[in-house]
Amino acid sequence: MEVASFQGYSIRDIEYHKSLKNLGNVLSDEDSLEVSSDIHVTPDMKQAKLQLKVLCHAPNAEMNLELWGYFTLMTKLERNEITDYLGLNGVALLLPYARSIISMVSVLDGKDALLMPTVDVLGLLKSTETFENNQKT
């Protein structure tokens, strides 16, 4: 059963800062990647927007990216079921676009691309209190 149909995405905000250090910019354990999301559902429960924010730090660069993913909801679900579904599947769907955008923008600035590591979306989602509370009910 199809729960939501992906309609597309848009880049809502992008910031790229590069320092003068020339240390290479592949993310390591000391570097940081922050991913957050927020889901907005229309009152009629037919459309949803997923706001994905990715902040990527590296030794000589930083990128802040905000993507919005647009979804048509195909089945009647409760609001918490929609947010759980899109929180996992919608984020997993948008992250490859974010990875590509981050890499492409940074490589346009020089020969070294800023590489975003693979993200365990389920692990990230399980660390949020809302998801944990919904799984218990």
Side-chain angles (χ1 to χ4, degrees):
M1 169 175 62
E2 187 178 15
V3 175
S5 174
F6 179 57
Q7 301 302 309
Y9 75 92
S10 63
I11 300 171
R12 301 303 294 184
D13 191 26
I14 187 168
E15 293 179 32
Y16 175 67
H17 304 279
K18 189 172 181 181
S19 70
L20 297 177
K21 299 176 188 175
N22 191 13
L23 303 174
N25 48 1
V26 175
L27 290 176
S28 68
D29 292 339
E30 295 103 41
D31 302 318
S32 140
L33 176 69
E34 298 173 35
V35 178
S36 63
S37 65
D38 195 17
I39 299 163
H40 306 274
V41 181
T42 58
D44 63 5
M45 307 285 273
K46 292 184 179 182
Q47 304 287 322
K49 175 179 71 177
L50 172 65
Q51 181 181 8
L52 179 72
K53 293 182 179 182
V54 178
L55 179 57
C56 194
H57 299 278
N60 66 344
E62 177 180 277
M63 186 170 301
N64 191 354
L65 175 65
E66 182 180 337
L67 295 180
W68 285 6
Y70 303 97
F71 298 86
T72 299
L73 303 173
M74 309 300 280
T75 56
K76 270 289 203 207
L77 295 174
E78 296 295 321
R79 188 171 297 273
N80 66 335
E81 294 172 314
I82 293 168
T83 56
D84 283 351
Y85 178 84
L86 289 178
L88 177 62
N89 296 300
V91 169
L93 190 119
L94 287 178
L95 277 173
Y97 293 110
R99 183 176 291 110
S100 177
I101 291 165
I102 288 169
S103 173
M104 187 180 303
V105 169
S106 63
V107 83
L108 288 172
D109 187 44
K111 64 181 176 127
D112 297 318
L114 183 60
L115 302 176
M116 188 178 110
T118 304
V119 176
D120 173 14
V121 178
L122 186 56
L124 181 69
L125 189 59
K126 282 184 177 180
S127 70
T128 65
E129 185 177 329
T130 304
F131 182 80
E132 289 295 323
N133 290 338
N134 288 341
Q135 292 302 307
K136 292 176 186 172
T137 58

